[in-house]
Amino acid sequence: MQTEKILVTGGCGFIGSNFITYMLDKYNSISIVNLDLLTYAGKLENLSHITSNRYKFIHGDISDRSLVFKLFAKENFDIVINFAAESHVDRSVSNPDIFINTNIVGTQVLLDASKLYSIKRFHQVSTDEVYGDLPLDALDLFFTEKTPLNPSSPYSASKASADFLVNAYHTTYKLNTTISRCSNNYGPYQCSEKLIPHMIKKALNNEQLPVYGDGKNIRDWLHVLDHCEAIDTIVNLGSSGDIYNVGGHNEKSNLEVVNTILSSLNKSEDLISFINDRPGHDLRYAIDPTKIKNLLGWNPKYNFDFGIKETIDWYVNNPSYL
Ligand code: NAD
C-alpha cells in the first residue's frame, strides 16, 4: 500500500480495533483516523497500546453529517473503511431504531462525503447475516455472493440496506466501492455481550451458561485477524463495485462452541442451561469463500481449534476485559 490516509469508522470496537493494530503494524506508510462514537461496544483501551503518531482518534457519530463533512474537508482521506455499526442482534430485536440510524443513515452520510471528496475506495464491512439463513439438513448449501439477500433481524436488515446503498452509490455516482460479507468472528477484544466472551465469563464465574433453544444453530467462525487480512486484501486488490464473501469453513453449532469453552476451562457441561430461543433465530450460516480465494488469493491462516484455545487464553489472562 502506498502512502494513504485511511478513515476507519468504529475502530474502537472488536474488529475495527484489531484492524487498526494490524494495519499500523503492517504498513509504515499509512496513517489512520478512527471515528468512533464510543457506544457500549467501543472501548478506547482496545487501542491504548498504540503510540504511533500515524494514528488519531476522533470521538463522533457517523450519522452526524456536519461533523463527518468537516472531518473529510480537514483530513483529505484516500480510503474509507466503515466498521461502525450497532452489531448485536438481541439489541436490534428490543430496540431497532438506533440500528436504522447508525447502520443505514450513518453509511449514507459516509457515502455522501466520500462522493463529494472523491475518495479513492469506500469499503463497507458487511456480514453474512444479510443472506438470511440456511437449513440445518442441507449441509451442502453455502452463501455465495449471488445468494439473494433475505435478512431476518432488524440488525441484518439494516446491514443489507447499507449494502444496497453502497451498490447504488457505485452504480449511480461511480463511487469506487467494495463490500465484504464475513461470517462470525472470534478473537481478542470482543465485547463481553457476544457469545464467546459471554460464555467464557459465565464459565469462569461458575455461573449457568445460557444457550438459545437446543443449541443446534450453526455459525461459521473466522479468526478476527483473518478477517482483517481479507479486508486489507479487498481494499488493495478488489474490483470496484464488487462484493466478496469471507469465511473459513469452520461451521460449529453453538453447543459445540460452548462445550469447547467448558472443556478448555475444565468446567462441567452441567453449567449449560437451555433457554427460550431468540425470535427469528437464524438456523445456519455458511460462507462459500471461493471468489476471494480464487480472484484475490486470500486464504485464512488460523486453524479453529488453535485459534479458539488462544482466544480463551487471552480472555483468561485479561479478566478485566470481561
Ligand atoms: P462492535 O459492536 O464490537 O463495534 C462497533 C463499533 O462501532 C464500536 O466501537 C462503537 O462505538 C462504534 N459505533 C457504533 N455506532 C457508531 C456511530 N453511530 N458512529 C461511530 N461509531 C459508532 O462491532 P464489531 O463486531 O467490531 O463489528 C464491526 C463491523 O463488522 C460491523 O459493521 C459488523 O456488522 C461487521 N461484522 C461483524 C462480525 C462479527 O462477528 N463481529 C461479522 C461480520 C461482520
Side-chain angles (χ1 to χ4, degrees):
M1 192 174 274
Q2 300 151 356
T3 308
E4 306 272 21
K5 191 178 240 191
I6 305 174
L7 172 64
V8 168
T9 67
C12 294
F14 167 43
I15 307 173
S17 60
N18 277 286
F19 182 76
I20 289 173
T21 304
Y22 167 90
M23 291 293 281
L24 289 173
D25 282 351
K26 181 167 177 185
Y27 301 105
N28 287 326
S29 54
I30 61 158
S31 60
I32 292 180
V33 175
N34 170 16
L35 172 63
D36 196 299
L37 187 56
L38 296 179
T39 67
Y40 75 95
K43 295 186 178 65
L44 280 175
E45 61 262 35
N46 287 2
L47 292 164
S48 56
H49 51 276
I50 293 184
T51 51
S52 169
N53 60 7
R54 296 183 289 120
Y55 169 72
K56 185 156 80 179
F57 172 71
I58 304 286
H59 184 207
D61 186 338
I62 57 165
S63 68
D64 181 339
R65 188 168 280 270
S66 154
L67 176 144
V68 167
F69 274 68
K70 276 187 203 143
L71 186 65
F72 273 67
K74 179 168 172 240
E75 297 285 354
N76 228 346
F77 297 120
D78 299 295
I79 295 170
V80 175
I81 306 181
N82 183 25
F83 291 88
E86 286 292 333
S87 69
H88 197 303
V89 177
D90 285 343
R91 283 177 179 256
S92 83
V93 174
S94 54
N95 179 18
D97 291 14
I98 191 163
F99 285 73
I100 306 307
N101 190 58
T102 288
N103 299 1
I104 306 176
V105 176
T107 302
Q108 193 223 344
V109 168
L110 292 172
L111 286 165
D112 278 340
S114 299
K115 172 163 83 78
L116 184 66
Y117 289 96
S118 305
I119 295 302
K120 286 195 249 169
R121 167 61 54 88
F122 180 97
H123 182 76
Q124 174 73 359
V125 182
S126 186
T127 164
D128 61 354
E129 299 195 31
V130 297
Y131 295 121
D133 66 354
L134 295 164
L136 287 175
D137 58 0
L139 295 179
D140 55 335
L141 292 182
F142 297 92
F143 298 132
T144 74
E145 291 80 0
K146 293 197 167 66
T147 302
L149 301 198
N150 186 25
S152 317
S153 69
Y155 163 65
S156 50
S158 66
K159 293 294 290 185
S161 306
D163 286 9
F164 280 129
L165 280 172
V166 173
N167 282 340
Y169 275 64
H170 171 75
T171 306
T172 307
Y173 305 115
K174 307 294 173 234
L175 188 66
N176 187 322
T177 64
T178 40
I179 296 175
S180 51
R181 292 184 180 145
C182 189
S183 58
N184 282 49
N185 284 209
Y186 68 94
Y189 300 105
Q190 187 164 30
C191 176
S192 61
E193 282 189 1
K194 297 288 176 74
L195 182 80
I196 289 176
H198 186 61
M199 294 299 172
I200 295 172
K201 179 178 170 180
K202 294 278 181 191
L204 288 172
N205 292 337
N206 294 313
E207 290 169 7
Q208 297 280 293
L209 278 65
V211 173
Y212 278 132
D214 57 10
K216 292 198 176 133
N217 301 51
I218 290 176
R219 299 293 176 262
D220 186 357
W221 292 95
L222 187 77
H223 194 278
V224 64
L225 291 179
D226 281 328
H227 188 190
C228 293
E229 192 168 69
I231 293 169
D232 179 28
T233 305
I234 294 166
V235 169
N236 274 299
L237 304 176
S239 298
S240 179
D242 264 14
I243 295 166
Y244 298 88
N245 283 354
V246 182
H249 285 301
N250 287 309
E251 289 182 51
K252 308 280 171 202
S253 72
N254 290 341
L255 200 52
E256 278 177 275
V257 171
V258 169
N259 280 330
T260 302
I261 291 169
L262 286 172
S263 81
S264 295
L265 296 173
N266 291 319
K267 302 284 181 179
S268 161
E269 289 180 14
D270 294 344
L271 285 177
I272 294 174
S273 119
F274 293 98
I275 59 168
N276 286 343
D277 213 351
R278 166 198 283 159
H281 199 181
D282 285 336
L283 292 173
R284 172 174 168 252
Y285 303 141
I287 280 277
D288 176 354
T290 305
K291 179 175 174 180
I292 185 170
K293 287 186 175 193
N294 287 355
L295 294 187
L296 306 186
W298 171 86
N299 276 292
K301 297 202 168 86
Y302 271 83
N303 158 284
F304 181 80
D305 292 337
F306 171 80
I308 191 72
K309 295 239 156 42
E310 192 187 66
T311 299
I312 294 167
D313 286 348
W314 189 87
Y315 287 102
V316 169
N317 293 324
N318 293 275
S320 62
Y321 202 84
L322 297 169

